[in-house]
Amino acid sequence: MTGSDGPHREPGSGVRAAGSASERAREEEERAVEQALALVGGSSGPGRSDRSGGSGERQSRGRDPRAPWDSRDSRDEDLNARRSNDSHTGPGSAPHADRSSGSDPCDGRDSDLRDGRAAPAPAPEQPPHPDRPSPGDLAKPPPPSWDRARAVAARAGRGGAPATIRLPLDRALGHVLAEVLGALTDLPSFDTSAMDGWAVAGPGPWAFEAGAGLLAGRGPAAALPDGTAVRIATGARVPPETTAVIRSEHAHVDEARGLLHARRSVVTGQDIRPRGQECRSGEQLVPAGTVVTPAVLGLAAAAGYDALPVVPRPRVDILVLGDELLNAGLPHDGLIRDALGPMLGPWLRALGAEVSGPRRLGDDAGALRSALTSSDADLIVTTGGTAAGPVDHVHPVLDALGAELLVDGVAVRPGHPMLLARLSPDGPYLVGLPGNPLAAVSGLLTLAEPLLAGIAGRPAQDPYRALVHAEVHGHPHDTRLVPVVHRPGRAGGRDHVAPLRYNGPAMLRGIAAADGLAVVPPGGVRSGTEVEILDLPWAPATPWTEGCFT
């Protein structure tokens, strides 16, 4: 409150209510310093006033000192006003000062009339000190670059030693080998015939006896004397002392005389697969980190394996947020179809994850918190709610749970509000995807894909570059991810990629026709420039014609 005898100090507020312009300017500067120190965790020093408005000293919230910019820390109201479009107060924040008395301690001036005179005009805002950042600068730094965000996600996925399980061959497909696959025996484990024909010993012609001869799967045969031959089937064990195998079509049989003649010259060892030709026992066949493909299964079986040591697939829960989403039917009355629920499960499975069915929570902070705390997944993927709107609950709930924000926004378009958090040191990761469909795809490839690859023990995807045959406009400061299709070169020219239309944040028409995303640096690229390409999990896709997509 104020009296008629002029400006005075408000009891307990520690803030001068009025004064000369120079005093107010000094107070504004002192407040800026106080706010900056508060944001970086500085303690009160000499000359720092208590501006709690009688509510008591502010409590430290244990925020990770590596992230002093967290937008949900307690703020003075003037700082909140400057950042009203991209910050909000989270659970546990200190209450704002009470402004009902007409004296606003955050403004530093009295709005009441004194002795019939208006309060002195506020001093003009002072320019920031050249060596001191402004409070707005300290509030939240620029988001990390796209490259850095992906590196953080990959490093997080590799943070712990992957578990190892043994799965029978018929269940190991798509998993990642946890150990080197070594040969358990020589391959082949004995000398075998590579062709149907005749096993011969010494120079010809060769005498033979009528009969079925040597078949695959039979035990060892007696040594073959010089000058003799015996019929042999592909895969059959070659008798000791065999010189070569003559293919049936290269042999002439004189039934009357009981002699075999060769139609071509015979080379020692021809058409015989010697023992250990493919590998010797103990030799490495496939390195750890290899995805188990059908061919790997075949090789493992040939080498004598019944089960394989693999890394368990990461388990993923999907939480779809938003009251405006429909599960079926046509959009109507401001409601839209949920495009992400049907898309995310198959996409994440293509990245090697075990995925539960999507849970639709709407815009309910309590339901979101309950779902996060009850999940036993390795990764939780949420859709929407990552910005700072009135029903965007992801940040406040993560803050209330004490989660560690590893990535809070990325300098990429579309999808810059994406985030990566860890709910607890032993708890699951969370990737928060924006609600717009193509922006969500951007978040999948930027954060979820490298994180899952690390958890599953998969090797990082080798980046590659390709020519782009069109000018691609870029964002002034951020990376852009643009859907593209591969095109073969003409008349001996190099293969290239062509950007697709319908690449807005809310559009899926372009990505549905794409087999990759071009990583376009800030400022864009000209036609003929090489750009980095991110393949989609199912690339190469159906060979679309340019048609209406490009």
Side-chain angles (χ1 to χ4, degrees):
M1 295 178 61
T2 61
S4 61
D5 55 349
H8 65 282
R9 186 179 304 273
E10 180 77 8
S13 67
V15 179
R16 188 177 302 276
S20 65
S22 60
E23 289 173 334
R24 286 194 299 275
R26 284 197 300 273
E27 289 171 357
E28 293 286 347
E29 184 173 359
E30 289 172 359
R31 264 196 310 280
V33 174
E34 291 169 10
Q35 292 162 359
L37 290 172
L39 289 169
V40 296
S43 59
S44 297
R48 293 193 64 198
S49 58
D50 177 9
R51 300 192 293 116
S52 61
S55 63
E57 186 176 359
R58 287 186 178 155
Q59 301 297 310
S60 170
R61 304 183 58 213
R63 179 65 54 198
D64 187 340
R66 295 172 296 176
W69 53 81
D70 190 285
S71 61
R72 289 156 305 285
D73 283 343
S74 301
R75 297 285 194 272
D76 287 328
E77 216 169 57
D78 66 335
L79 181 58
N80 279 333
R82 289 182 184 133
R83 303 184 60 243
S84 60
N85 290 331
D86 49 19
S87 68
H88 57 277
T89 304
S93 299
H96 293 312
D98 183 5
R99 298 193 293 168
S100 62
S101 66
S103 176
D104 187 348
C106 292
D107 288 341
R109 57 185 182 272
D110 196 339
S111 61
D112 286 347
L113 296 179
R114 299 179 181 84
D115 298 329
R117 295 172 297 167
E125 186 170 345
Q126 299 296 315
H129 191 282
D131 297 326
R132 184 182 298 126
S134 67
D137 292 335
L138 286 173
K140 189 174 181 180
S145 68
W146 179 80
D147 288 327
R148 179 168 177 76
R150 276 177 59 87
V152 170
R155 187 165 59 248
R158 297 192 302 267
T164 301
I165 58 175
R166 295 190 70 84
L167 291 179
L169 296 186
D170 61 352
R171 293 175 50 201
L173 183 67
H175 287 74
V176 174
L177 287 175
E179 301 171 6
V180 169
L181 189 70
L184 301 180
T185 182
D186 296 343
L187 285 183
S189 54
F190 46 81
D191 293 349
T192 62
S193 175
M195 293 288 172
D196 293 331
W198 297 84
V200 298
W206 301 272
F208 69 91
E209 293 182 3
L214 305 176
L215 303 177
R218 302 294 175 85
L224 195 61
D226 273 357
T228 62
V230 62
R231 287 188 179 274
I232 193 167
T234 302
R237 184 191 293 258
V238 173
E241 309 302 330
T242 297
T243 301
V245 170
I246 301 174
R247 302 182 187 188
S248 297
E249 60 268 27
H250 297 162
H252 170 68
V253 178
D254 185 344
E255 297 282 357
R257 301 178 62 184
L259 292 177
L260 174 75
H261 299 269
R263 299 179 184 275
R264 298 184 180 183
S265 60
V266 176
V267 178
T268 299
Q270 74 181 27
D271 289 326
I272 295 175
R273 293 187 63 209
R275 176 174 181 165
Q277 182 185 50
E278 186 169 2
C279 65
R280 289 292 183 180
S281 179
E283 187 177 338
Q284 175 179 313
L285 299 177
V286 180
T290 300
V291 177
V292 178
T293 63
V296 171
L297 289 176
L299 176 61
Y305 284 88
D306 299 317
L308 293 178
V310 296
V311 180
R313 285 177 177 157
R315 291 166 295 120
V316 180
D317 285 344
I318 301 172
L319 305 179
V320 179
L321 312 182
D323 289 339
E324 74 281 10
L325 300 177
L326 293 169
N327 298 331
L330 293 175
H332 61 86
D333 300 327
L335 303 177
I336 60 174
R337 282 295 300 270
D338 170 29
L340 297 181
M343 180 178 72
L344 291 181
W347 198 306
L348 291 164
R349 290 185 189 96
L351 294 177
E354 297 280 357
V355 187
S356 60
R359 295 176 56 190
R360 294 173 170 84
L361 304 183
D363 291 318
D364 187 330
L368 175 59
R369 177 167 181 162
S370 176
L372 296 185
T373 55
S374 62
S375 175
D376 62 354
D378 300 296
L379 170 64
I380 301 169
V381 175
T382 62
T383 68
T386 57
V391 292
D392 290 335
H393 300 305
V394 174
H395 277 103
V397 170
L398 290 178
D399 189 70
L401 294 176
E404 179 186 8
L405 275 174
L406 304 177
V407 175
D408 191 8
V410 179
V412 66
R413 304 300 173 109
H416 64 282
M418 68 181 72
L419 63 86
L420 170 63
R422 190 161 196 180
L423 299 187
S424 70
D426 299 322
Y429 289 99
L430 181 142
V431 169
L433 302 178
N436 278 325
L438 189 57
V441 170
S442 175
L444 277 177
L445 295 178
T446 302
L447 297 178
E449 187 273 332
L451 178 74
L452 289 172
I455 295 174
R458 292 173 181 257
Q461 180 183 1
D462 292 332
Y464 71 95
R465 304 178 70 83
L467 292 177
V468 59
H469 271 206
E471 181 179 358
V472 183
H473 297 291
H475 187 273
H477 310 293
D478 297 348
T479 299
R480 278 192 72 204
L481 300 182
V482 178
V484 296
V485 289
H486 288 80
R487 302 289 185 214
R490 296 177 180 175
R494 289 179 55 184
D495 293 350
H496 61 275
V497 295
L500 299 172
R501 297 168 57 194
Y502 308 110
N503 53 29
M507 298 180 180
L508 288 175
R509 189 172 174 181
I511 194 69
D515 50 27
L517 287 168
V519 182
V520 179
V525 295
R526 296 180 178 179
S527 180
T529 304
E530 281 194 345
V531 293
E532 183 178 346
I533 302 297
L534 294 176
D535 278 335
L536 299 180
W538 46 85
T542 303
W544 300 85
T545 57
E546 294 189 4
C548 62
F549 292 100
T550 56

